[in-house]
Structure formats: structure tokens, C-alpha cells
Amino acid sequence: MPEGDTVKQTAKRLHTALAGKVLTRSDLRVPRYATADLTGRSVLDVTARGKHLLTRVEGGLTLHSHLRMDGAWRVYESGRRWSGGPAHQIRAVLGTEDRTAVGYRLPVLELLRTADEAGAVGHLGPDLLGPDWHPAKALENLLRDPGRALGEALLDQRNLAGIGNVYKSELCFLLGVTPWLPVGALPADRARQLPFLAKKLLEYNRDRPVRVTTGHPRQNLFVYGRAPRPCLRCGTPVRSGNQGDGSRQRPTYWCPRCQAGPAPGQDAGRYPVAVRPRTGREQSRPND
């Protein structure tokens, strides 16, 4: 499942393969851009913004893509057989003299002016792996709707960019609360810890082929995908349930003993939402 660390790795592979080279092949297999031709243009850079990929090419153009659940970019040496899926799943092909990048099952693919990138990614909150990372701003965004379930708030890329379903479950476990706990009910010390812990998890995994949150490669994850196996800490069977905002339900995992808070279907009202005073620094910061 592509999350911020996975997308960062993808951007690095694409940048290494394409940046500074002239495109000798360009094939965008979506109706709107079927006639667009980028051949003869140099690739300037490929960068990640949250879960979004921005491939900038000469002439002020950017190819914006998003992997969502099943999308992938594969890079092949010249002459090597493509193996990322059947041909009908290919949405984009960008080739140079010695490398070819093939985009499979890309649910989002659009060609836009580089000057208009904000229209695609301007809504995102601070990027956990980007130069704009701002922990205080990320926490302020999360606490803006204190009654919202923590898991849903973490997945909202407008709050902070890069967390997906795996990190949502793992982060809630490390904070000792269920993903259904209202954000405002999170104890103040853990709320302050949250953005730093989230960044630590993604930083730790940004260059790793297998995601690890436990610190032990033989046991990669604390709870995600482990139901009904025992919790690595207390031995209680890990539980699973669906969490979503109504538009999409996502499998979510938690330990009922190690994590305090409501479970699916339970009333979250008995977990009081704290009203935290804003600091002077927050008040002086401009509204983004």
C-alpha cells in the first residue's frame, strides 16, 4: 500500500532514471492526454509531495500522478521486458535512451503547467518527508476538529501529508489509543508527541524495502494486518474493524488492551474532548 515513504522511494527511482535526460518516448494512455507528446523534452526532476508524484519536464510542464491503492511506477533498462502487469493496465510510458518508466494502474494522471501545481497539491498539509514539514502546524490542523476520530484525521492529507492506513494503525498503537478516539481527547503529552513520532516512522522507512515500525525486522508491524494474532506487547488478540468517513471504509487494527478509547460502534462521547488554549506562537502564525 503506497504511503509517504513508498512514494518518496518511487520519486527517487524515477528521478535517478529520468532526470537530466531527454525523453525519446512519451505515451500517456488516458483519453484527455492521448495526443500529448513530451518527446524531445528534458526531464528536470521528479519529486514527491505527500502521496503525489510530480514529474517536471522542460517547457514548464508537470506530469502529476497518484498511486492510491494499486498504482505503481516501474523502471526498466532498455530492451528489458516490462513486467508490472498486463498491457491494458499501463497508463503512462516515459522513455529515455537507456531507461523506460512505466506507470501501471494510475488512478490519477494529468499533464499541467508547472506554475499550476498548486491546483493539484496546494490543499495538502505539511509533508512529513518534505522541506515544508512543520510539526506545530500539523498538530494545529489535527486539533482543528477535536471531535473527529483520530484515525480519520490522520488520513486526511489536508492535515499532514504522507500517512496512510498502515501508519494510521501503527501510530495509534504507539500512542496507546484506538483510532476511534476523538482527536481532542488525546492526552496533551501524546498530542505533542504525535507529529514527531509520525515523522520518525516515515523517516525510518524512507529507504527501506520492507516497512518496519517495531524496530525488529522479523516482526515488522505491531498491529496492522495481525488480527487475530497476539499483540506483540501483551499477547491479547489483535482486533480489526472498518473505519471511514462514509466515502471509503478502510481496514483498521488495534489491541483492545494496549490502546484506550472506543472501538467501532461504541459511543465516543464518554471520552471528553479537551479544549486546549492556543499558544502565542500559534496565534502569530499566518493562516495558510
Side-chain angles (χ1 to χ4, degrees), residues 4-6 8-10 12 128-130 167 199-209:
D5 53 345
T6 306
K8 195 76 172 180
Q9 292 174 19
T10 300
K12 184 177 180 179
L128 282 152
L129 295 178
Y167 282 122
K199 182 173 179 60
K200 183 178 179 180
L201 288 178
L202 268 73
E203 285 277 8
Y204 185 77
N205 287 287
R206 66 184 301 167
D207 296 316
R208 293 177 178 272

Side-chain angles (χ1 to χ4, degrees), residues 26-39 111:
S26 165
D27 186 3
L28 305 182
R29 301 182 184 181
V30 293
R32 185 176 179 184
Y33 304 108
T35 60
D37 186 5
L38 300 177
T39 57
L111 187 63

Side-chain angles (χ1 to χ4, degrees), residues 25 27-31 33-34 82 87-88 90-93 109:
R25 180 173 182 178
D27 186 3
L28 305 182
R29 301 182 184 181
V30 293
Y33 304 108
W82 302 349
H88 72 266
I90 295 174
R91 297 293 177 265
V93 180
L109 185 71

Side-chain angles (χ1 to χ4, degrees), residues 179-235:
W180 291 271
L181 183 79
V183 178
L186 189 64
D189 58 335
R190 295 184 220 181
R192 288 190 296 269
Q193 181 189 11
L194 189 158
F196 299 98
L197 183 57
K199 182 173 179 60
K200 183 178 179 180
L201 288 178
L202 268 73
E203 285 277 8
Y204 185 77
N205 287 287
R206 66 184 301 167
D207 296 316
R208 293 177 178 272
V210 178
R211 189 176 290 134
V212 177
T213 62
T214 62
H216 303 287
R218 292 184 181 179
Q219 297 174 320
N220 298 337
L221 304 173
F222 281 110
V223 291
Y224 188 86
R226 286 189 55 83
R229 287 177 288 170
C231 171
L232 296 179
R233 281 187 178 168
C234 72

Side-chain angles (χ1 to χ4, degrees), residues 133-152:
W133 173 240
H134 196 311
K137 178 63 177 175
L139 183 57
E140 179 184 341
N141 290 345
L142 288 167
L143 294 174
R144 190 172 291 138
D145 185 358
R148 192 178 189 184
L150 176 59
E152 292 178 17

Side-chain angles (χ1 to χ4, degrees), residues 12 14-16 43 51 55 63 86 116 135 143 168 171-172 179 201 203 215 223 226 231 239 258 268-269 286:
K12 184 177 180 179
L14 291 173
H15 183 86
T16 300
V43 177
K51 299 181 186 181
T55 302
L63 186 64
D116 296 334
L143 294 174
K168 174 196 78 173
L171 187 57
C172 287
L201 288 178
E203 285 277 8
V223 291
R226 286 189 55 83
C231 171
R239 296 181 62 186
C258 293

Side-chain angles (χ1 to χ4, degrees), residues 83-134:
S83 56
H88 72 266
Q89 293 183 348
I90 295 174
R91 297 293 177 265
V93 180
L94 299 176
T96 68
E97 198 172 274
D98 61 347
R99 296 284 190 279
T100 302
V102 184
Y104 290 90
R105 301 171 297 279
L106 301 175
V108 175
L109 185 71
E110 61 176 342
L111 187 63
L112 46 88
R113 293 192 306 169
T114 301
D116 296 334
E117 285 180 0
V121 296
H123 65 288
L124 299 175
D127 187 344
L128 282 152
L129 295 178
D132 68 318
W133 173 240
H134 196 311

